[in-house]
Amino acid sequence: MYSHFKHFSIKLATVLSLIATPFAHANNFSYSYVEVQVTTDPSGIGVAGSIPVHQHAHVVYEAQTGFSSDWHAAAGLGFSAPIADRADVRGYLKAHSLKNDETSGKWGETFSEFSLEFSIWANPISEVGAALGTYFMDEEDADKFQLFYRYHATDQISIGVTLNLSGYDDNQLLLSARYPFG
C-alpha cells in the first residue's frame, strides 16, 4: 500500500512541478550554499552543498564519515521550481558511493537516487518539508522518506534537523548548519 502511494505521489509531484515550471519566475529558497552536518546512529560528520547552474537547476554534493574506514558520498543534479508564493518543489538525480563494514570493493556499494522534495515557509524564519524517493541499489531498491525543519536564524546561517524515516539511513537524525553564499 505504502509503495503504491509513494509511486503515485512521485508521479503526481513530477507532473505538478512540470506544469508549474513555465509559470515560475523565481525560487522561494536559496540553492547556493555549503552545509556542515552531524549524524546520529551511526554518529559522524559531513559536508554538503549546492551550486546553481541555471535559475532552476543546481549541482548538489554531500559526503559523510564516521571515521571508521567508512563513507557515504553523493553528487548529482537537481531542479527547483516554485509551486506557490512560499513553497518550492525540488527533484534530484544522484550517484552514491557507500562504504561500511557491510560493503566490499574499493568504492563500496554504488547506486543511484531519484527523489522529490517539498519545502514551505511555515513563517518568515521557519522552513518545513518532506522528501520522497527511491534508491536504486544492486540487491534491492530502498524507499527514501525524510521530514525536515530548517530555522533561518540570519541571512548568514540556518540550522536544520532531518529525520530519515526509511532508506539506507533508516531512523538516522541529521543536524546541519547551512551557510548561504553568492
Side-chain angles (χ1 to χ4, degrees):
M1 173 74 178
Y2 171 75
S3 179
H4 294 293
F5 173 73
K6 180 191 71 137
H7 291 293
F8 173 76
S9 298
I10 289 174
K11 289 176 185 175
L12 178 62
T14 302
V15 169
L16 290 175
S17 66
L18 291 174
I19 292 169
T21 301
F23 303 105
H25 299 292
N27 295 311
N28 294 297
F29 300 92
S30 172
Y31 295 99
S32 181
Y33 62 85
V34 64
E35 184 174 280
V36 177
Q37 302 172 332
V38 175
T39 61
T40 64
D41 194 27
S43 61
I45 63 169
V47 64
S50 174
I51 302 165
V53 293
H54 180 271
Q55 182 180 1
H56 297 289
H58 47 281
V59 174
V60 292
Y61 61 89
E62 59 187 89
Q64 299 166 345
T65 184
F67 298 109
S68 303
S69 298
D70 68 318
W71 70 74
H72 169 232
L77 294 173
F79 79 87
S80 54
I83 53 176
D85 63 341
R86 294 182 315 234
D88 278 6
V89 62
R90 296 181 281 275
Y92 295 102
L93 184 57
K94 299 180 192 175
H96 291 258
S97 173
L98 178 65
K99 177 77 169 161
N100 57 27
D101 294 337
E102 300 170 6
T103 60
S104 61
K106 183 176 180 179
W107 292 100
E109 182 177 1
T110 57
F111 55 95
S112 60
E113 168 193 346
F114 174 73
S115 60
L116 292 173
E117 191 173 283
F118 303 89
S119 290
I120 189 165
W121 288 105
N123 61 44
I125 57 173
S126 296
E127 171 188 353
V128 295
L132 299 167
T134 301
Y135 298 108
F136 299 99
M137 305 175 102
D138 288 340
E139 295 177 18
E140 184 177 322
D141 293 348
D143 294 332
K144 174 182 180 177
F145 182 58
Q146 299 174 330
L147 298 174
F148 61 89
Y149 170 79
R150 180 159 299 283
Y151 172 69
H152 297 268
T154 69
D155 291 340
Q156 289 78 33
I157 188 171
S158 63
I159 309 296
V161 60
T162 301
L163 178 59
N164 296 301
L165 297 172
S166 67
Y168 70 88
D169 49 5
D170 192 13
N171 295 319
Q172 185 182 61
L173 189 66
L174 184 138
L175 306 172
S176 62
R178 183 174 289 181
Y179 304 93
F181 62 87

